[in-house]
Amino acid sequence: MELLCEQGQEAWPAAIVPENYPVIMDHIVSLDEEETQTTLSDRIAYIEFTRENGTGGWFWTAASSPPVIIVDIILHRGIPRCYDAFQLTTANSGLPLAYTHHLQYSLPDKCRNFIGKTLSSYSGPASFRIQGETILDCRLRWNSLNYIWKQQIDFVKTAPTRLSSLKTLRPLRKELIYIPCWINEADSHGDIETETLLRQSDNYELYSIGDRVYWRDYVRIGVFAISPEQYSEITSIKHKNGWT
């Protein structure tokens, strides 16, 4: 919430009921891997959400139309030396459905200047959730979904010794889409669904199997890391097994 306010955006504690919708609800502080942002379309949805989750520890801000971009950055004293971006696709509720590698993304000057000012004494990894020219969230680590960093471990190991270079490091380039598989925790058996998902490992890249990442009533049982050409195949597999 403070991060948004420092950028001149309105953000309010959940106890203050918004007058205009849609809004994005999020944790004031979140240190774990949970997907916490939820889009609420009207007052009824807001009341239902706060009745279920309470208002303590939550805040809201106005929803906007630009896509959310998740950007992993290597910083040297607040200066980006290399970054990797993914565009987030969600359901209307905010449930993450896909993360598409954004090869042409350019970090907005407003965000770059804010990062340089705020993290001027920091060198190392950082992950930002950006919408338009507004930073929604910041973590001083890379996004756990970024499979590319794991594939390029030699690059990651040598990057810190190269941070002092005046040259920007070459970004990592690969067409890739992450497709998370969600099940409704109340209606499904997580262990059985995970075993079913694991059977796909002979044909597709899978990871985060068994990591229990939660979004409201849903739990993520794993993530496909696929090429764009495989997207329709994965959609069919998810539909066949009743995964969201």
Side-chain angles (χ1 to χ4, degrees):
M1 186 170 76
E2 290 182 4
L3 176 63
L4 288 171
C5 292
E6 287 178 8
Q7 298 172 86
Q9 303 295 315
E10 289 194 1
W12 301 92
I16 300 175
V17 180
E19 296 181 0
N20 300 310
Y21 297 86
V23 297
I24 294 175
M25 187 78 85
D26 201 357
H27 282 307
I28 293 175
V29 176
S30 177
L31 300 177
D32 54 29
E33 293 290 335
E34 289 190 11
E35 292 282 354
T36 58
Q37 292 187 348
T38 301
T39 302
L40 304 175
S41 58
D42 52 35
R43 187 182 181 91
I44 293 176
Y46 189 90
I47 291 173
E48 290 179 351
F49 181 91
T50 53
R51 183 183 295 123
E52 178 182 346
N53 298 279
T55 58
W58 294 91
F59 78 94
W60 62 265
T61 188
S64 58
S65 56
V68 172
I69 307 293
I70 298 174
V71 188
D72 282 356
I73 300 180
I74 297 175
L75 293 172
H76 177 61
R77 298 177 181 173
I79 300 174
R81 296 300 189 194
C82 178
Y83 60 85
D84 209 35
F86 289 82
Q87 182 170 321
L88 173 63
T89 301
T90 68
N92 291 335
S93 61
L95 179 70
L97 299 178
Y99 305 79
T100 304
H101 202 193
H102 198 319
L103 300 179
Q104 306 302 321
Y105 181 74
S106 179
L107 191 66
D109 289 342
K110 182 180 177 181
C111 296
R112 186 186 295 270
N113 293 337
F114 182 83
I115 292 169
K117 178 182 178 181
T118 307
L119 297 175
S120 59
S121 61
Y122 176 73
S123 295
S127 184
F128 298 88
R129 190 174 290 234
I130 297 174
Q131 188 168 35
E133 295 187 336
T134 301
I135 299 172
L136 303 178
D137 186 64
C138 171
R139 309 292 174 97
L140 298 183
R141 54 163 172 75
W142 287 317
N143 173 27
S144 63
L145 281 180
N146 200 336
Y147 187 72
I148 289 179
W149 295 117
K150 298 176 183 179
Q151 287 188 322
Q152 301 286 342
I153 191 65
D154 291 337
F155 172 90
V156 174
K157 285 180 178 179
T158 61
T161 64
R162 302 164 65 189
L163 286 178
S164 59
S165 170
L166 295 178
K167 296 181 180 180
T168 299
L169 298 176
R170 295 171 62 184
L172 303 171
R173 298 295 188 190
K174 182 177 182 180
E175 289 192 2
L176 187 68
I177 304 175
Y178 300 131
I179 306 293
C181 297
W182 301 91
I183 61 172
N184 189 303
E185 194 175 20
D187 300 334
S188 305
H189 300 285
D191 292 340
I192 296 176
E193 300 292 347
T194 299
E195 290 179 5
T196 302
L197 179 61
L198 278 171
R199 298 191 190 108
Q200 303 296 330
S201 61
D202 290 339
N203 300 313
Y204 304 99
E205 290 281 0
L206 284 168
Y207 71 106
S208 291
I209 303 296
D211 293 351
R212 289 296 185 255
V213 175
Y214 294 88
W215 189 92
R216 300 186 71 174
D217 294 333
Y218 290 88
V219 58
R220 196 182 74 197
I221 58 173
V223 180
F224 286 96
I226 62 170
S227 66
E229 293 77 17
Q230 295 173 311
Y231 184 83
S232 60
E233 300 171 23
I234 300 306
T235 301
S236 177
I237 290 172
K238 289 180 64 176
H239 179 74
K240 178 181 178 181
N241 288 282
W243 303 329
T244 301

